[in-house]
Amino acid sequence: MRRLPVFFVIDCSESMVGQPLQAVQEGVDFIMNSLRTDPYALETVYVSVIAYAGIVRTLVPLTELFAYQACELPLGGGTHLGKALDHLAKEIERSVIKTTADVKGDWKPVVYLFTDGRPTDDYEGAISRWKAKYENKVTLVAIGLGQDVDFSILKRLTEHCISVDQIDQDYVKNLCKWISASVVSQSISVGQHQDRQDLLPLDERYMHLAKERLTFRKSKADDRTVTIVGRCQKLHHPYILKYSRRLQYGELSDLNINIYNFKLEACTGISEDYFSWTDHAAEKAKINTSVLDGSAGCPHCYAETAFAMCACGSLMCYDGYSEYAVCPWCQRQISFSVSGGDFDLTRGQG
Ligand SMILES: [Zn+2]
Ligand SMILES: [Zn+2]
């Protein structure tokens, strides 16, 4: 029996924190569950799930559908697309059976690559390696979630670039219905011994084929979202503050003036696992608190603010009245003074 290998390569960067990641998690579960009810898919489809942030790992190695066990998507700092492509290439080499003179190998593999931003690593080499070796051997569908996707990069990888306008349950569910219908249709055509590649029609209310967009962004960290990691002073658990850019003056932002700011969107508790999915060697950008607007309480101990800073440069929560505290990052005892001044913080890679 020739197999149809389907790889899901999923961006789990910190800008996905909270509801977007939850929507994608439900979407992946939905795809697997609906494929498992389809007789054609059950017969030929093998699935694999790879997650990437600052680190890339295979969550589910290529597995036949009925043996697939649900996996939990992680969260980490960074969107290392280059590393993800190299990792995917290795997985394909390792697990896809090639056709030789004696063996009829697997059907042409299909990859669904998800991202919500733009790469934070050096992806040029990886794109060239991918194009040289896999462009004609693998069907790659790149899916950009939300408004921050740099399609000029994805377009170089594949002609199949799909833009999903928003990252919420409705939009992601619709996308995932389309993906599972696409996989079923591919499994039917290989059942008829055809390797077909054309995409099923898209529901234009939710998604469309992406056109290239001009980008003004220069720094490596994501310019439309700012994420900052803190720790609860009492319980030591980490959390993420996510800010979204509010005003956009296009090319004016090339001037060195703060004519934009970022509004707090969410303050969410995260697991310690976050640090093992983050590339700690990556360049650390700073952000001045004067452009950050809005504050939140600690999601772990409900202290008044999640936005207190130690002299070591790290963020922690503060109850608003204790005179002394121990920094959960550097373990030093610190005394708090109320400061109206702005300061620089290390921001996440997005
Ligand atoms: Zn706390
Ligand atoms: Zn400290």
Side-chain angles (χ1 to χ4, degrees), residues 144-163:
L145 299 169
Q147 300 297 317
D148 298 346
V149 179
D150 192 339
F151 281 104
S152 61
I153 296 167
L154 298 179
K155 281 261 175 185
R156 287 164 53 198
L157 275 174
T158 174
E159 56 177 322
H160 305 311
C161 285
I162 292 169
S163 170

Side-chain angles (χ1 to χ4, degrees), residues 279-328:
D279 179 3
H280 298 283
E283 150 198 357
K284 291 184 174 63
K286 297 275 182 194
I287 181 106
N288 192 273
T289 55
S290 63
V291 297
L292 302 179
D293 181 22
S295 66
C298 176
H300 297 298
C301 74
Y302 308 108
E304 186 179 289
T305 176
F307 209 89
M309 197 181 75
C310 170
C312 73
S314 301
L315 208 65
M316 70 184 100
C317 71
Y318 176 57
D319 58 19
Y321 51 82
S322 301
E323 249 179 276
Y324 294 99
V326 174
C327 170

Side-chain angles (χ1 to χ4, degrees), residues 8-13 16-29 32 48-53 57-60 68-76 114 145 172 176 271 273-274 277:
F8 296 90
V9 182
I10 298 176
D11 181 349
C12 298
S13 58
M16 296 279 290
V17 68
Q19 193 238 2
L21 192 66
Q22 180 62 30
V24 173
Q25 173 79 59
E26 286 166 15
V28 171
D29 295 344
M32 301 303 180
S48 171
V49 181
I50 294 167
Y52 69 103
R57 286 184 197 129
T58 299
L59 300 181
V60 180
Y68 172 85
Q69 292 194 328
C71 57
E72 195 184 331
L73 297 176
L75 183 81
F114 290 58
L145 299 169
V172 175
C176 291
S271 82
D273 203 33
Y274 166 85
W277 282 88

Side-chain angles (χ1 to χ4, degrees), residues 32-287:
M32 301 303 180
N33 288 335
S34 69
L35 288 179
R36 287 162 73 147
T37 62
D38 185 272
Y40 293 100
L42 271 174
E43 203 157 289
T44 52
V45 173
Y46 277 58
V47 290
S48 171
V49 181
I50 294 167
Y52 69 103
I55 301 294
V56 189
R57 286 184 197 129
T58 299
L59 300 181
V60 180
L62 200 63
T63 305
E64 50 195 318
L65 261 182
F66 82 84
Y68 172 85
Q69 292 194 328
C71 57
E72 195 184 331
L73 297 176
L75 183 81
T79 308
H80 284 8
L81 179 70
K83 281 205 180 85
L85 286 171
D86 285 338
H87 181 97
L88 170 64
K90 260 187 230 152
E91 281 290 299
I92 289 172
E93 288 307 314
R94 200 173 63 79
S95 55
V96 175
I97 301 167
K98 291 189 190 69
T99 297
T100 63
D102 314 313
V103 184
K104 270 270 183 212
D106 290 332
W107 295 102
K108 187 175 183 175
V110 185
V111 174
Y112 292 95
L113 172 74
F114 290 58
T115 185
D116 80 324
R118 76 211 156 90
T120 48
D121 64 347
D122 188 5
Y123 50 85
E124 291 293 342
I127 289 183
S128 310
R129 285 189 288 278
W130 178 268
K131 286 179 81 75
K133 198 154 179 202
Y134 299 101
E135 194 170 31
N136 301 315
K137 290 187 193 155
V138 175
T139 303
L140 175 66
V141 181
I143 293 152
L145 299 169
Q147 300 297 317
D148 298 346
V149 179
D150 192 339
F151 281 104
S152 61
I153 296 167
L154 298 179
K155 281 261 175 185
R156 287 164 53 198
L157 275 174
T158 174
E159 56 177 322
H160 305 311
C161 285
I162 292 169
S163 170
V164 178
D165 300 332
Q166 291 178 38
I167 326 179
D168 69 12
Q169 271 174 323
D170 246 22
Y171 281 78
V172 175
K173 180 94 185 264
N174 216 277
L175 165 75
C176 291
K177 275 185 186 160
W178 178 84
I179 291 177
S180 91
S182 301
V183 174
V184 167
S185 129
Q186 278 148 347
S187 70
I188 291 172
S189 50
V190 299
Q192 295 160 349
H193 297 275
Q194 301 164 326
D195 233 345
R196 284 186 36 207
Q197 281 190 54
D198 32 327
L199 299 182
L200 293 185
L202 299 168
D203 184 339
E204 299 272 343
R205 287 173 300 170
Y206 298 94
M207 51 197 177
H208 49 269
L209 284 175
K211 293 177 186 64
E212 262 182 62
R213 289 180 205 160
L214 288 173
T215 49
F216 303 107
R217 296 172 244 167
K218 286 185 180 132
S219 79
K220 278 198 171 178
D222 209 310
D223 272 345
R224 296 203 202 189
T225 52
V226 169
T227 51
I228 303 166
V229 176
R231 265 188 200 278
C232 175
Q233 208 193 108
K234 292 200 180 80
L235 302 167
H236 290 203
H237 301 322
Y239 54 81
I240 281 191
L241 291 143
K242 179 183 173 184
Y243 293 83
S244 292
R245 188 163 163 167
R246 207 158 43 167
L247 298 168
Q248 286 168 46
Y249 289 92
E251 64 265 60
L252 279 178
S253 64
D254 282 353
L255 303 172
N256 198 16
I257 324 170
N258 294 330
I259 46 170
Y260 56 89
N261 67 355
F262 294 88
K263 187 160 177 57
L264 182 70
E265 215 177 80
C267 179
T268 312
I270 54 174
S271 82
E272 214 57 55
D273 203 33
Y274 166 85
F275 299 97
S276 75
W277 282 88
T278 299
D279 179 3
H280 298 283
E283 150 198 357
K284 291 184 174 63
K286 297 275 182 194
I287 181 106

